Amino acid sequence: MKAKIFVTLKQGIHDPQGQAIYQSLTTLGFQNVADVRMGKLLEVDLKETDQEKAESTVKSMCQKLLANPVIEDFRYELLGP
Amino acid sequence: MNIGVIVFPGSNCDRDCYHVCQEVLGQHTHLIWHQETSLRGVDAVILPGGFSYGDYLRTGSIARFSPIMEAVKRYAAEGGLLLGICNGFQILLEAGLLPGAMHRNKNLSFICEDAYVKVENASTPFTSQCESGQVLKLPIAHAEGNYYTDSVTLSALQANAQIVFRYCDRDGRVTPDSNPNGSLDNIAGIRNAAGNVVGLMPHPERCAEELLNNQDGLLIFQSMLKAFNQPVTKP
């Protein structure tokens, strides 16, 4: 089973990287961009076929290491058998 | 006094800390590899600057799981003197030994320059040799020094005098212009509630002897030595 984990900055946390990308897009002529927020995508291969177990593993790894709860949120998708 | 400097893969200020403690301060100093599990009974522990684990994932996020960190956490819980400098500060935050988190500098640049910091709390084990409100010139060198915490924690830090250093101008004025990295409330260094753990972004070990034309950083190490020689219990 594969997990796609998205780690993003919490709402309200200043995102200097997103701002820089936003400005660059504006400079390039993409005038219809309102805002950019940047995050991380992690693809984790799990040696697990049980959906519930996989889910609890992914949650636990996010809480312990992959996201910093002070500034980041996480969400995930579980894919395939 | 016996001082331990923890060496993580990617630490690069460990030898500078060792030099200041061993040669300038004249104390027995031990370099302790991160795979070790014992602090060898040292009287103070320094987590040095650098790029532990290449700053992968988040600064300090992987180093906090090094085997030695279990011993460091126990040591801190028992009231041991613990100082985190730059990446060491980031590790303390990730390990939950200090509150908050580090974020990219507001201007996205790696900033390497002298900064002025105001000593906001001169009664910690690492600032007792400073005057309250004293302005120190200390070099900073980081890309992630933009300190952040939620408003409840910030209020607690302010109320409990846990903000130890704040970025300021040459005359000690804490202003937005004197904030190099966008850090919340100009925070350059904080302590834990118990007072035995301090983390700061500037590098006192890079300005602790006459040869370097700046000895402001030595005050931090001399304070640590005094805390060992004349331990006092402070809130």
Side-chain angles (χ1 to χ4, degrees):
Chain A
M1 190 170 288
K2 284 191 182 186
K4 272 195 174 183
I5 301 167
F6 302 87
V7 179
T8 51
L9 286 171
K10 285 188 171 171
Q11 272 201 337
I13 304 266
H14 181 64
D15 178 6
Q17 292 185 100
Q19 276 302 300
I21 295 164
Y22 165 74
Q23 273 163 20
S24 191
L25 287 173
T26 308
T27 307
L28 278 169
F30 294 101
Q31 298 300 334
N32 48 357
V33 179
D35 193 19
V36 178
R37 304 282 288 169
M38 199 181 128
K40 295 172 191 149
L41 164 65
L42 298 108
E43 294 181 328
V44 180
D45 251 330
L46 292 164
K47 289 184 269 184
E48 183 62 68
T49 49
D50 184 286
Q51 178 93 8
E52 259 178 47
K53 277 188 194 161
E55 197 159 334
S56 91
T57 303
V58 168
K59 256 189 205 167
S60 174
M61 61 176 69
C62 286
Q63 286 158 352
K64 284 184 180 159
L65 174 65
L66 302 181
N68 182 334
V70 180
I71 50 172
E72 293 171 326
D73 289 324
F74 64 87
R75 63 186 174 82
Y76 53 82
E77 294 166 4
L78 292 173
L79 307 165
Chain B
M1 180 181 196
N2 279 278
I3 301 165
V5 178
I6 311 296
V7 184
F8 297 96
S11 295
N12 66 6
C13 303
D14 44 333
R15 298 281 166 168
D16 302 51
C17 287
Y18 177 89
H19 171 79
V20 171
C21 293
Q22 178 75 32
E23 306 298 335
V24 183
L25 219 54
Q27 304 303 309
H28 296 292
T29 307
H30 311 257
L31 289 170
I32 301 175
W33 181 233
H34 76 121
Q35 292 287 7
E36 294 183 40
T37 52
S38 160
L39 289 169
R40 307 182 200 166
V42 293
D43 307 301
V45 172
I46 299 175
L47 303 187
F51 299 84
S52 58
Y53 292 90
D55 276 353
Y56 295 163
L57 192 64
R58 294 180 308 277
T59 53
S61 66
I62 301 186
R64 69 171 274 217
F65 293 109
S66 280
I68 195 67
M69 286 306 292
E70 282 307 312
V72 171
K73 279 185 188 171
R74 281 197 302 273
Y75 170 82
E78 289 161 6
L81 298 175
L82 175 58
L83 177 68
I85 301 169
C86 196
N87 188 224
F89 184 13
Q90 293 162 339
I91 295 168
L92 291 176
L93 294 171
E94 284 283 342
L97 290 170
L98 290 173
M102 277 306 170
H103 195 34
R104 278 287 187 103
N105 292 345
K106 201 173 175 183
N107 66 0
L108 288 176
S109 294
F110 185 98
I111 305 170
C112 186
E113 62 187 26
D114 279 331
Y116 292 98
V117 298
K118 187 177 182 180
V119 180
E120 298 283 6
N121 183 341
S123 50
T124 79
F126 298 99
T127 52
S128 65
Q129 295 302 286
C130 307
E131 302 286 336
S132 179
Q134 186 174 351
V135 176
L136 306 178
K137 185 171 83 171
L138 303 173
I140 55 170
H142 60 248
E144 271 108 358
N146 184 350
Y147 178 82
Y148 175 82
T149 192
D150 61 73
S151 56
V152 175
T153 309
L154 178 64
S155 300
L157 290 176
Q158 290 163 337
N160 302 328
Q162 284 179 252
I163 299 171
V164 182
F165 302 103
R166 290 168 86 199
Y167 296 110
C168 64
D169 66 15
R170 187 186 294 260
D171 302 314
R173 288 183 295 247
V174 177
T175 62
D177 282 348
S178 59
N179 184 342
N181 53 25
S183 195
L184 190 68
D185 202 25
N186 282 44
I187 286 174
I190 57 172
R191 67 171 175 89
N192 65 348
N196 59 309
V197 180
V198 168
L200 78 166
M201 286 313 292
H203 287 274
E205 80 282 9
R206 294 190 188 177
C207 53
E209 54 196 311
E210 203 177 352
L211 181 69
L212 299 173
N213 204 26
N214 179 3
Q215 298 183 79
D216 285 3
L218 188 57
L219 292 168
I220 310 301
F221 296 93
Q222 286 171 334
S223 299
M224 177 180 72
L225 185 56
K226 189 187 169 214
F228 170 71
N229 288 329
Q230 302 167 14
V232 278
T233 40
K234 286 212 173 88

